């Protein structure tokens, strides 16, 4: 299933990375200058020291499990975009939870799911009906996640009472 929102994100991401010849030359000069600069230890987290007090272990920005799962779902997306998106997704939990969001209809590149989760929605909530539309349809039409959570709570209260 193609998601026009995801296609727009990929197009926007690609256009933001298009560089003029002048910008490419500036990058080349900066890279050459940095290559000549004295090398300093790579940054890291203090608990990840690996070579005594001056050495640091590199920190990976994205879990390979997330990248593999995302490549399956959005194979046409550039690797750099997948790495950034995987970095966001891995903040919410394990890859199985991310897959549940994706299976519920949220693209791996759609970071609004982080807002939905923070508001109290779960992947199972997205298919629940609020009137004639599902929660996911309400969200895609611009309804606030908090509004959907409140409506779901009221719906549950009414069903229990």
């Amino acid at each position: 299933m193609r998601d026009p929102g995801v296609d727009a994100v990929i197009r926007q991401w690609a256009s933001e990375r298009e560089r003029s010849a002048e910008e490419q030359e500036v990058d080349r000069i900066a890279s050459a200058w940095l290559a000549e600069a004295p090398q300093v230890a790579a940054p890291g987290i203090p608990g990840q020291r690996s070579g005594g007090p001056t050495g640091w272990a590199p920190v990976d920005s994205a879990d390979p499990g997330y990248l593999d799962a995302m490549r399956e779902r959005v194979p046409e997306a550039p690797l750099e975009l997948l790495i950034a998106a995987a970095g966001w997704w891995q903040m919410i939990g394990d890859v199985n939870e991310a897959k549940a969001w994706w299976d519920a209809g949220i693209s791996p590149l759609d970071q609004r799911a982080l807002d939905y989760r923070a508001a109290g929605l779960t992947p199972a909530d997205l298919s629940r009906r609020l009137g004639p539309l599902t929660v996911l349809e309400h969200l895609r039409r611009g309804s606030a996640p908090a509004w959907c959570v409140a409506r779901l709570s009221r719906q549950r209260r009414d069903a229990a009472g």
Side-chain angles (χ1 to χ4, degrees), residues 19-33:
R19 299 179 318 198
S20 67
E22 183 179 333
E23 290 169 324
Q24 290 175 6
E25 179 66 9
V26 167
D27 286 347
R28 187 192 65 73
I29 292 169
S31 294
W33 180 77

Side-chain angles (χ1 to χ4, degrees), residues 90-159:
Q90 69 192 29
M91 288 188 288
I92 69 166
D94 64 15
V95 73
N96 291 327
E97 183 177 0
K99 285 181 179 182
W101 282 98
W102 303 339
D103 291 342
I106 301 292
S107 166
L109 300 179
D110 191 344
Q111 299 311 305
R112 292 175 293 186
L114 302 176
D115 296 332
Y116 303 160
R117 184 179 186 271
L121 292 171
T122 67
D125 291 333
L126 299 182
S127 62
R128 297 181 64 106
R129 297 198 82 69
L130 294 175
L133 302 175
T134 65
V135 170
L136 182 59
E137 290 168 331
H138 276 287
L139 293 168
R140 286 188 173 152
R141 289 179 177 211
S143 296
W147 178 85
C148 293
V149 169
R151 290 282 310 266
L152 284 170
S153 294
R154 186 170 2 140
Q155 194 178 65
R156 288 180 185 122
R157 250 190 341 259
D158 293 347

Side-chain angles (χ1 to χ4, degrees), residues 17-106:
R17 275 141 188 86
E18 290 178 5
R19 299 179 318 198
S20 67
E22 183 179 333
E23 290 169 324
Q24 290 175 6
E25 179 66 9
V26 167
D27 286 347
R28 187 192 65 73
I29 292 169
S31 294
W33 180 77
L34 288 172
E36 295 171 4
Q39 297 298 313
V40 191
I45 298 171
Q48 294 180 325
R49 293 180 185 173
S50 65
T54 59
W56 298 93
V59 178
D60 292 331
S61 62
D63 181 325
Y66 279 91
L67 286 176
D68 292 342
M70 292 179 85
R71 273 193 199 108
E72 287 176 21
R73 294 173 191 260
V74 232
E76 71 280 2
L79 179 61
E80 190 177 324
L81 180 59
L82 290 178
I83 290 170
W88 299 322
W89 274 101
Q90 69 192 29
M91 288 188 288
I92 69 166
D94 64 15
V95 73
N96 291 327
E97 183 177 0
K99 285 181 179 182
W101 282 98
W102 303 339
D103 291 342
I106 301 292

